[in-house]
């Protein structure tokens, strides 16, 4: 009906190519006038072999559509190697408009930042005034952190949309940038606002202003017998428990989601307590996690199986809080948990890794079914945790990254110089692993406090990450867990 303009279609086409969705891009191109449509065969060639396409494409006085296919090829090449993309660009930059040049530099800088290329900031500056998207701005900030360029950190965050700036990660790093530049009053105001949030950056912000996080853990609310019985009387709760007992986990999960959809904070904690009593630990944690005003961290951070785990933790000289912090993130203590790639159990161990560990610790006639027996599972998992921890400077942050993404990647992500632990975590290129290590370390802090362990700050636990070295032990470990 004419609501979606040609400009809208072109913008969506750009987004489709940036995401590598050629099918959608070709379909959208068909809706453009002939003089703006992209050649399907050119798109295929640019995607399959960017260097060959760029070598053959005539760009002198080329129309916009042809230039844009070339930009797509350059972007694809930048994903593989920023250096190769830049070498191609040097001989072709003059054929593009100023806006197109800025567009390319924005993507080149983004891919370079993700690969720890020292030229990333230089290329971000070359991008000039065209607005960067949220991903590009996030990585401009991260690469500025690596360079300890606090002014650039602040400028990058200030260029974000108001919505992106409200994210805890960027509020924290903006406060750090302000503090580093001497604006302590504004920095402390941001830290103070963030410190009330129960997460990784809330914990770090609390430490920046000296708040005693140990006194801030809410554990006071305890539902009474009447409240428990009233919740148990609800048909949806009864159906959930019945389905769970019959091992119909998908149906039980859906029923629970329906039963708990409109509960207030206290009712959520009552439901979480019922789940805990019935061994539905992941349900209990997920439900307790949803409260906004009234909290009980004894339910958010359940610690089942402590008696079974203790011997294995002591034998491997591990920090109990870190073990629980990792298991909570891996499986939420769901005994039957299985990942899409085949990792199983509370500690999500891959079959190949279980077999490797079994050989190391002398389990004869090992078979996969043994890995799912609770005591054996903990024996295998804690041994692996100890192995990666020992191989990575006894640093739980590095070890957590290795546990999730593989030892070789965790080692590769070290910087060329010493790195603050939080900066290392923020520059992990995999979204899943970056979020994983933050949550594991945040969990560890809460478990340590709930267990009554000696005080230790999150910053101390994150430590300082040594520069890249050959970590011989890490290279002997399997990258499949």
């Amino acid at each position: 009906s004419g609501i979606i303009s040609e400009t809208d279609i072109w913008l969506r086409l750009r987004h489709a190519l940036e995401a590598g969705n050629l099918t959608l891009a070709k379909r959208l191109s068909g809706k453009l006038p002939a003089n703006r449509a992209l050649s399907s065969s050119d798109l295929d060639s640019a995607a399959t072999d960017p260097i060959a396409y760029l070598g053959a494409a005539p760009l002198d006085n080329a129309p916009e559509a042809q230039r844009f296919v070339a930009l797509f090829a350059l972007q694809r090449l930048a994903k593989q190697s920023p250096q190769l993309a830049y070498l191609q660009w040097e001989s072709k930059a003059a054929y593009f408009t100023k806006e197109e040049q800025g567009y390319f530099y924005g993507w080149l800088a983004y891919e370079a930042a993700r690969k720890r290329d020292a030229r990333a900031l230089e290329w971000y500056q070359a991008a000039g005034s065209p607005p960067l998207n949220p991903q590009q701005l996030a990585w401009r900030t991260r690469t500025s952190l690596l360079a300890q360029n606090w002014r650039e950190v602040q400028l990058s965050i200030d260029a974000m949309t108001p919505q992106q700036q409200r994210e805890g990660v960027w509020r924290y790093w903006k406060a750090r940038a302000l503090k580093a530049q001497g604006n302590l009053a504004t920095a402390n105001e941001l830290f103070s606002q963030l410190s009330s949030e129960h997460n990784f950056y809330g914990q770090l912000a609390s430490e920046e202003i000296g708040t005693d996080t140990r006194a801030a853990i809410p554990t006071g609310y305890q539902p009474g017998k009447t409240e428990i019985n009233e919740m148990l009387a609800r048909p949806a709760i009864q159906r959930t428990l019945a389905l769970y007992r019959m091992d119909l986990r998908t149906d039980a999960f859906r029923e629970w989601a329906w039963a708990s959809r409109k509960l207030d904070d206290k009712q959520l904690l009552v439901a979480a307590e019922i789940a805990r009593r019935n061994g539905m630990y992941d349900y209990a944690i997920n439900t307790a996690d949803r409260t906004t005003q009234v909290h009980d961290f004894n339910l958010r951070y359940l610690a089942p199986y402590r008696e079974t785990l203790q011997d294995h933790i002591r034998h491997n000289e591990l920090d109990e809080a870190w073990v629980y912090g990792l298991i909570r993130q891996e499986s939420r203590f769901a005994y039957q948990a299985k990942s899409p790639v085949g990792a199983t159990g509370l500690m999500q161990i891959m079959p190949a890794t279980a077999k490797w560990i079994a050989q190391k610790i002398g389990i004869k006639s090992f078979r996969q079914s043994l890995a799912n027996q609770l005591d054996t599972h903990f024996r295998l998992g804690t041994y692996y945790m100890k192995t990666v921890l020992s191989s990575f400077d006894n640093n739980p942050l590095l070890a957590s990254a290795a546990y999730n993404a593989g030892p070789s990647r965790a080692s590769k992500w070290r910087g060329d110089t010493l790195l603050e632990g939080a900066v290392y975590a923020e520059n992990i290129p995999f979204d899943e692993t970056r979020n994983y290590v933050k949550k594991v370390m945040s969990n560890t802090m809460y478990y340590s406090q709930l267990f009554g362990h000696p005080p230790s700050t999150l910053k101390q636990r994150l430590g300082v990450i040594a520069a890249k070295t050959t970590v011989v032990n890490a290279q002997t470990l399997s990258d499949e867990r």
Side-chain angles (χ1 to χ4, degrees):
S1 58
I3 296 172
I4 298 175
S5 69
E6 184 180 317
T7 301
D8 295 328
I9 295 170
W10 181 259
L11 181 60
R12 192 178 179 204
L13 173 57
R14 263 193 181 190
H15 291 328
L17 288 178
E18 289 164 2
N21 191 336
L22 281 161
T23 302
L24 176 59
K26 291 176 184 178
R27 185 152 54 86
L28 291 167
S29 180
K31 298 180 181 294
L32 291 168
N35 66 329
R36 296 198 77 187
L38 309 185
S39 163
S40 292
S41 60
D42 282 359
L43 282 173
D44 288 334
S45 298
T48 304
D49 192 339
I51 293 179
Y53 174 80
L54 290 165
L59 293 174
D60 192 12
N61 295 318
E64 178 188 33
Q66 195 164 331
R67 295 198 308 273
F68 194 72
V69 176
L71 284 173
F72 168 62
L74 286 161
Q75 183 194 347
R76 295 277 287 201
L77 189 56
K79 281 181 183 288
Q80 301 170 24
S81 166
Q83 174 62 21
L84 285 177
Y86 184 66
L87 289 174
Q88 289 287 326
W89 175 252
E90 284 186 305
S91 62
K92 295 173 173 59
Y95 297 124
F96 296 90
T97 67
K98 185 177 180 181
E99 181 188 351
E100 290 165 345
Q101 290 177 14
Y103 175 82
F104 169 73
Y105 275 117
W107 281 106
L108 179 65
Y110 166 76
E111 297 296 349
R114 285 168 51 83
K115 291 177 172 60
R116 302 285 186 89
D117 191 311
R119 294 165 295 180
L121 268 185
E122 174 190 334
W123 289 334
Y124 268 122
Q125 289 163 1
S129 58
L132 300 173
N133 69 26
Q135 281 181 309
Q136 291 168 327
L137 285 168
W139 279 99
R140 178 179 162 184
T141 308
R142 292 180 180 123
T143 200
S144 300
L145 287 171
L146 279 178
Q148 292 293 281
N149 187 334
W150 293 106
R151 182 175 181 276
E152 189 66 25
V153 169
Q154 183 183 345
L155 290 173
S156 300
I157 296 172
D158 286 344
M160 295 174 178
T161 64
Q163 180 181 3
Q164 190 176 9
Q165 287 190 50
R166 284 194 293 271
E167 294 174 18
V169 53
W170 308 127
R171 287 155 57 206
Y172 173 77
W173 287 117
K174 181 173 182 177
R176 285 284 304 274
L178 289 167
K179 181 178 179 179
Q181 295 175 91
N183 192 343
L184 197 58
T186 307
N188 283 341
E189 184 179 346
L190 288 172
F191 285 137
S192 181
Q193 293 169 1
L194 189 56
S195 66
S196 63
E197 299 182 14
H198 301 298
N199 53 45
F200 181 80
Y201 286 107
Q203 290 165 317
L204 285 175
S206 294
E207 292 174 3
E208 289 288 340
I209 56 176
T211 303
D212 183 5
T213 55
R214 298 182 71 83
I217 291 187
T219 57
Y221 178 74
Q222 297 293 327
K225 185 175 180 180
T226 301
E227 294 167 301
I228 294 287
N229 288 337
E230 286 176 354
M231 185 63 67
L232 280 170
R234 298 188 179 206
I237 297 294
Q238 294 177 19
R239 288 193 297 269
T240 300
L241 297 177
L243 290 164
Y244 192 87
R245 285 193 295 270
M246 291 187 287
D247 205 26
L248 297 171
R249 300 301 171 88
T250 300
D251 298 291
F253 176 81
R254 291 171 178 166
E255 194 70 56
W256 186 263
W258 176 260
S260 62
R261 73 196 188 286
K262 293 182 179 180
L263 301 183
D264 62 27
D265 281 0
K266 289 187 176 181
Q267 290 171 324
L268 285 170
L269 294 177
V270 174
E273 174 60 16
I274 289 172
R276 183 196 69 79
R277 293 181 183 185
N278 284 273
M280 301 158 59
Y281 301 125
D282 52 334
Y283 288 53
I285 292 170
N286 292 338
T287 305
D289 243 351
R290 289 168 50 194
T291 60
T292 57
Q293 300 296 325
V294 181
H295 311 295
D296 185 349
F297 275 38
N298 283 316
L299 286 170
R300 280 198 187 189
Y301 295 90
L302 289 176
Y305 312 114
R306 283 189 79 181
E307 186 175 337
T308 308
L309 255 174
Q310 284 293 336
D311 287 343
H312 301 295
I313 290 172
R314 281 195 293 267
H315 178 74
N316 289 290
E317 300 178 314
L318 292 170
D319 174 8
E320 183 186 24
W322 178 52
V323 174
Y324 269 90
L326 186 140
I327 297 176
R328 183 185 188 274
Q329 188 57 30
E330 287 288 347
S331 65
R332 299 284 172 100
F333 306 99
Y335 186 74
Q336 301 296 329
K338 186 172 184 178
S339 78
V341 295
T344 61
L346 300 178
M347 302 184 78
Q348 290 289 277
I349 305 172
M350 289 288 285
T353 305
K355 184 178 179 181
W356 176 81
I357 299 168
Q359 291 173 342
K360 287 286 183 182
I361 60 180
I363 299 179
K364 297 180 179 179
S365 303
F366 176 79
R367 55 194 183 280
Q368 186 56 38
S369 59
L370 289 175
N372 297 324
Q373 294 177 5
L374 200 58
D375 189 68
T376 304
H377 184 79
F378 286 149
R379 185 182 177 192
L380 297 172
T382 52
Y383 178 87
Y384 188 76
M385 288 184 73
K386 177 62 175 180
T387 305
V388 292
L389 185 67
S390 299
S391 300
F392 283 92
D393 312 333
N394 288 314
N395 182 300
L397 170 64
L398 277 171
S400 298
Y403 197 93
N404 180 261
S408 63
R409 292 192 184 102
S411 183
K412 179 183 175 182
W413 295 334
R414 293 172 184 261
D416 295 325
T417 58
L418 286 174
L419 281 181
E420 177 188 340
V423 173
Y424 172 91
E426 193 53 52
N427 274 274
I428 291 173
F430 295 174
D431 292 348
E432 178 196 335
T433 305
R434 185 168 61 253
N435 293 329
Y436 173 92
V437 298
K438 292 177 187 177
K439 289 176 180 175
V440 168
M441 297 309 297
S442 176
N443 294 347
T444 300
M445 286 294 294
Y446 288 125
Y447 276 115
S448 178
Q449 293 169 54
L450 289 168
F451 291 162
H453 291 174
S456 176
T457 67
L458 178 53
K459 199 166 185 176
Q460 287 170 338
R461 288 179 181 275
L462 297 175
V464 177
I465 308 302
K468 288 179 182 176
T469 55
T470 303
V471 186
V472 178
N473 289 339
Q475 291 177 344
T476 67
L477 297 177
S478 168
D479 272 350
E480 291 186 347
R481 176 177 46 76

